[in-house]
Amino acid sequence: MTQPRRTTVRRLMDQYGRTHADEAGITLRNTPAPLYQLLTLCVLFSVRIKADIAVAAARELFRAGMRTPRAMADATWQDRVDALGRAHYRRYDESTATALGAGAELVLDRYRGDLRRLRDAADGDPGRIRELLREVPRIGPVGADIFCREAQTVWPELRPAFDDRARHAASGLGLPTTPQALAGLVDPDDLPRLAAALVRVELSTDAVDDLLKTG
């Protein structure tokens, strides 16, 4: 890696390299509870809402005890609405409360509360994992991308997960644009952070200019 590119990657990671799971207080492991918490976060991100509000909503749901599909399903619809309201998750609070309840029931009924069974059902195929994720109420392409981007740290078959937004940002920074080449810029454990950083840059109006100006 050339020195200018190395500098860009370092600054990119330093300034933007925090995953949504980290922000929401999720310690991601290949165990049922944190995987479900990541899924919940992805549901919250699957509408047009500010990222900080989606993260705050996840924190409120978890603070209220809704950290597992059983707890989410057992909570009342009003409990979920109230938690979302405390995070100012407006406009979508009622429909999202419904989606979260239905999604929890799906995870319980189909996967016995354990998303590792979704992984098994997909037989390790990343495309099939995305398809099964999209069967969860409210999860669309964006939500599935977020899940795979962040879960690649514990599900290696998803690596390297860099969606179109991440690759477009990489192009603007003069970095490689293929997932395989991007993966070569950091250690495997840092792939989720790099992918998250690139998406944050893509969604920012001035991040590219700032990074290249200082690079």
Side-chain angles (χ1 to χ4, degrees):
M1 196 188 328
T2 64
Q3 184 58 43
R5 180 173 290 180
R6 184 177 293 108
T7 299
T8 297
V9 171
R10 177 176 55 78
R11 288 177 171 160
L12 174 66
M13 296 286 278
D14 287 347
Q15 294 180 44
Y16 300 98
R18 193 177 185 202
T19 66
H20 293 312
D22 284 341
E23 290 182 320
I26 302 168
T27 302
L28 200 55
R29 299 187 182 93
N30 190 32
T31 53
L35 289 170
Y36 175 71
Q37 290 160 22
L38 176 60
L39 184 72
T40 298
L41 185 60
C42 293
V43 170
L44 296 169
F45 267 98
S46 293
V47 296
R48 291 183 177 275
I49 202 157
K50 291 181 178 179
D52 59 341
I53 293 177
V55 167
R59 284 183 169 274
E60 285 294 336
L61 289 164
F62 302 155
R63 190 175 292 118
M66 291 173 254
R67 301 183 186 91
T68 67
R70 172 51 60 200
M72 186 69 77
D74 286 348
T76 67
W77 177 82
Q78 191 63 54
D79 288 337
R80 296 191 289 269
V81 169
D82 290 346
L84 296 172
R86 288 193 295 273
H88 306 290
Y89 195 94
R90 308 298 188 195
R91 185 178 173 190
Y92 303 103
D93 53 348
E94 296 187 354
S95 63
T96 300
T98 299
L100 288 168
E105 294 288 358
L106 182 147
V107 173
L108 288 167
D109 293 345
R110 191 173 300 177
Y111 304 115
R112 286 179 283 167
D114 187 347
L115 288 172
R116 293 175 299 183
R117 291 192 173 92
L118 179 151
R119 181 189 187 187
D120 293 340
D123 199 25
D125 178 70
R128 183 60 178 152
I129 288 174
R130 283 178 166 84
E131 290 176 2
L132 292 176
L133 287 169
R134 292 184 62 182
E135 293 178 1
V136 176
R138 186 60 68 79
I139 295 285
V142 171
D145 281 344
I146 293 171
F147 187 96
C148 293
R149 187 172 81 216
E150 306 233 346
Q152 66 182 313
T153 188
V154 293
W155 290 0
E157 66 270 28
L158 294 174
R159 301 174 187 169
F162 292 94
D163 60 24
D164 290 343
R165 292 175 301 175
R167 296 196 297 272
H168 188 266
S171 175
L173 291 169
L175 299 175
T177 56
T178 67
Q180 292 75 18
L182 284 168
L185 300 177
V186 295
D187 293 334
D189 287 347
D190 282 332
L191 287 174
R193 292 182 58 231
L194 177 59
L198 288 168
V199 171
R200 290 178 192 278
V201 167
E202 177 66 9
L203 297 176
S204 171
T205 56
D206 53 10
V208 170
D209 288 342
D210 285 347
L211 285 166
L212 292 179
K213 187 190 327 181
T214 57

